Amino acid sequence: MIVCSCNVLSDRDVRDTLGPRGDRPSVSAVFRHMGCEAKCGRCVRSIVAIVDQHAARGLDECSGSGDCEGCRADELAA
């Protein structure tokens, strides 16, 4: 699902950026890592939710591959 229309970024792009990180990056850090920046800001809440989900799941439960329950639920919600 596209979460940032300005930069055409999907939820999977954001999860791939988070990868095996142990910290909780800011939205601006996520954008910087992807080589872009927030423009209109409408995506910020969605990206914060993805970062929060990633932090809550821990590294063992979700690899960002779309195979865990949370990732499947995100796809169904889209």
Side-chain angles (χ1 to χ4, degrees), residues 3-75:
V3 294
C4 177
S5 299
C6 297
N7 293 295
V8 192
L9 301 174
S10 70
D11 58 326
R12 187 158 304 223
D13 294 329
V14 175
R15 285 189 180 89
D16 289 348
T17 296
L18 297 172
R21 294 178 70 124
D23 62 341
R24 189 190 179 289
S26 65
V27 172
S28 59
V30 171
F31 274 108
R32 278 192 306 273
H33 188 270
M34 289 189 280
C36 55
E37 61 184 32
K39 295 182 180 168
C40 74
R42 293 177 67 191
C43 60
V44 170
R45 280 194 256 180
S46 297
I47 293 174
V48 166
I50 292 168
V51 170
D52 287 345
Q53 287 174 350
H54 185 268
R57 288 182 190 143
L59 299 177
D60 294 331
E61 189 176 328
C62 180
S63 64
S65 65
D67 295 331
C68 74
E69 291 295 323
C71 290
R72 284 193 295 273
D74 288 347
E75 284 184 23

